[in-house]
Amino acid sequence: APRREPPPRREPPRPQPPARASADMAAFASLAGGLLSHLDDRELPCRLEGCRRTWIWTAAEQLGAFGQPPPKRLCPEHDAAFAAVADTEVRCSNPWCERTWTWTKAAQLAALQRGGTLEPPTRACDHCSDDDRNLADAEVHCRVDGCNRAWTWTRDAQLKHRAWLRHSANEGAPVEDRGRRGRRRRGRSSDGPPPRMCEPCRQRLAKLVDRESPCRVHGCTRSVTVDRESQLRAWAATHTVDVDADVALPKRMCEVCREFCRLHADREVACGRPGCERTWTYKTGAQLQAFLAGRFEDPLRLCQQCLAGGHAPIEVAVDGAELMPCVVPLCDGIWHYVVGMDIGPADDGDQPLDRMCDRCRAQRGATPRRTIVREPAATEPEPSSDEAAEAGSLA
């Protein structure tokens, strides 16, 4: 058989000498220069929607694209903004919360791509978000003083209340809150429950109307208007659920007695015994009684030292009794009032026997007061907060 000759061995290409490589590069540069002479830099719009700025697509980049469509790029301003983006801490949207949440760089870049701005969104922190998810119906104490019942604050109502607080804080409007007695307080934001009545108290209040009641000061013939809220508190203090139950009206001062007590504080008056330089305390209650009796001058009365020394104008002194002026004009006598005594009302100018001293009573044929029987005081409801000062001044 004929013998096959091996294929000729191919020699690897030898590197061109530097002169030939330089010639090829010069040829390519000449060709590129000829092509670039027909291309100009182009202004293309920013790829973000709504942005009217442009970026430059150079002739060299166009040549390197080999006829492909231009790429989508950012304008220099947005490109610099993207480069400066970093994780940012943003405060919780709830006005009562001081915590923050992290606005990541990826979320900011996505916001830039969508709208071209870096305005952080309004959202709650992780802690508040967990609270919103775990909210449940809550039992809240009734706002009426003395009531031991509660009302249900539903989950839906709590979410709406929080949304309203966030909206009010974002709008810059002052938040209104009502106190325990229904008065409005501005500038206070809280995620706590609003003051509200339980169902029995709400039904009871719907049945009440303002009523007239005698003044609590003995001897005063005027009346005072007891509002519905005061009647409701007196009813709630009984802890009954009967909305039709008959409850005694709370005792109040009329406006005249209230104003008198506000303007007349306890004061010191000189002792009525000649030569004594000491004083005795003319209490607000005694001044009010003298005013109701038509006497406007300070009564003649002895100080405590003179009374203890046997200078009392009456034979019997009662421990704890209040000294009252005689109702008879120009009489300097006194009589003792003890809580529980039955004292009839007296109009201006009247002179009832039970408001006279023993001397004036004897002149009119009545029996002088020799002994005073102390009767147990009737139990009265606790005074409301707006009359605490009055109760203390008349004690």
Side-chain angles (χ1 to χ4, degrees):
R3 187 177 179 181
R4 298 182 62 180
E5 295 292 336
R9 184 178 180 181
R10 295 181 179 181
E11 294 294 335
R14 295 179 179 179
Q16 298 180 356
R20 186 174 180 179
S22 300
D24 292 341
M25 293 178 62
F28 178 79
S30 177
L31 177 61
L35 294 175
L36 289 176
S37 64
H38 299 285
L39 293 177
D40 297 326
D41 293 346
R42 295 173 57 184
E43 290 190 4
L44 298 178
C46 180
R47 69 182 175 88
L48 289 182
E49 296 182 2
C51 181
R52 298 182 179 181
R53 291 183 289 266
T54 59
W55 60 278
I56 303 299
W57 194 24
T58 64
E61 292 174 339
Q62 298 177 46
L63 181 61
F66 296 102
Q68 297 296 324
K72 294 183 178 181
R73 294 180 183 175
L74 297 172
C75 63
E77 290 80 1
H78 280 132
D79 189 56
F82 270 55
V85 168
D87 291 351
T88 306
E89 294 297 321
V90 183
R91 181 173 174 175
C92 178
S93 61
N94 291 328
W96 60 86
C97 180
E98 300 292 338
R99 290 178 287 268
T100 60
W101 59 275
T102 303
W103 193 24
T104 62
K105 179 178 179 179
Q108 296 180 55
L109 293 178
L112 277 175
Q113 292 177 356
R114 288 193 304 268
T117 60
L118 278 177
E119 185 68 24
T122 301
R123 54 155 287 189
C125 64
D126 296 338
H127 184 273
C128 291
S129 299
D130 292 340
D131 285 347
D132 290 344
R133 286 191 295 268
N134 298 327
L135 275 180
D137 293 350
E139 296 295 319
V140 183
H141 189 69
C142 178
R143 73 168 179 83
V144 179
D145 295 339
C147 182
N148 56 2
R149 292 177 289 268
W151 58 276
T152 303
W153 197 19
T154 62
R155 181 180 184 273
D156 183 60
Q158 296 179 53
L159 292 176
K160 290 181 178 179
H161 181 71
R162 293 190 175 192
W164 172 77
L165 286 176
R166 286 192 290 267
H167 175 74
S168 301
N170 294 334
E171 293 294 331
V175 179
E176 292 184 1
D177 186 19
R178 291 182 177 269
R180 298 174 61 189
R181 305 189 66 186
R183 298 190 180 95
R184 291 184 178 180
R185 295 195 296 260
R186 290 183 173 271
R188 183 179 174 187
S189 60
S190 173
D191 60 340
R196 193 171 298 174
M197 291 183 292
C198 62
E199 186 61 22
C201 287
R202 189 187 64 82
Q203 296 178 4
R204 175 70 178 188
L205 184 64
K207 294 177 175 291
L208 296 176
V209 295
D210 294 348
R211 296 174 58 184
E212 295 295 323
S213 176
C215 178
R216 61 176 293 179
V217 180
H218 60 83
C220 182
T221 59
R222 303 178 206 37
S223 61
V224 60
T225 301
V226 182
D227 58 276
R228 299 165 61 206
E229 287 285 341
S230 299
Q231 299 179 51
L232 179 62
R233 288 192 293 270
W235 174 81
T238 62
H239 305 300
T240 180
V241 294
D242 184 7
V243 296
D244 297 320
D246 189 13
V247 179
L249 293 177
K251 295 183 178 181
R252 295 286 185 269
M253 278 187 180
C254 65
E255 291 298 327
V256 176
C257 294
R258 185 198 303 270
E259 186 68 11
F260 185 91
C261 293
R262 187 182 69 85
L263 297 176
H264 297 77
D266 294 350
R267 57 190 177 89
E268 296 298 317
V269 181
C271 178
R273 187 170 68 88
C276 181
E277 297 181 354
R278 292 180 291 266
T279 61
W280 57 275
T281 303
Y282 198 11
K283 294 186 177 181
T284 301
Q287 297 178 51
L288 178 58
Q289 289 296 317
F291 169 76
L292 294 176
R295 300 190 58 180
F296 305 101
E297 296 181 358
D298 294 343
L300 295 176
R301 191 171 302 175
L302 302 182
C303 62
Q304 292 295 330
Q305 290 82 351
C306 292
L307 288 175
H311 299 283
I314 57 175
E315 297 181 2
V316 180
V318 180
D319 185 22
E322 186 176 0
L323 300 179
M324 307 301 297
C326 180
V327 74
V328 178
L330 302 180
C331 179
D332 58 355
I334 60 174
W335 56 280
H336 286 78
Y337 171 77
V338 180
V339 178
M341 292 178 60
D342 187 12
I343 304 297
D347 294 331
D348 294 344
D350 292 349
Q351 298 181 9
L353 291 175
D354 52 9
R355 294 176 181 268
M356 296 182 184
C357 62
D358 288 347
R359 182 177 55 191
C360 293
R361 287 171 60 90
Q363 292 176 357
R364 289 161 176 77
T367 304
R369 295 186 182 91
R370 295 301 179 184
T371 58
I372 298 178
V373 180
R374 186 186 299 274
E375 299 179 1
T379 303
E380 298 182 358
E382 291 293 331
S384 59
S385 58
D386 59 350
E387 293 190 350
E390 302 164 358
S393 63
L394 291 180

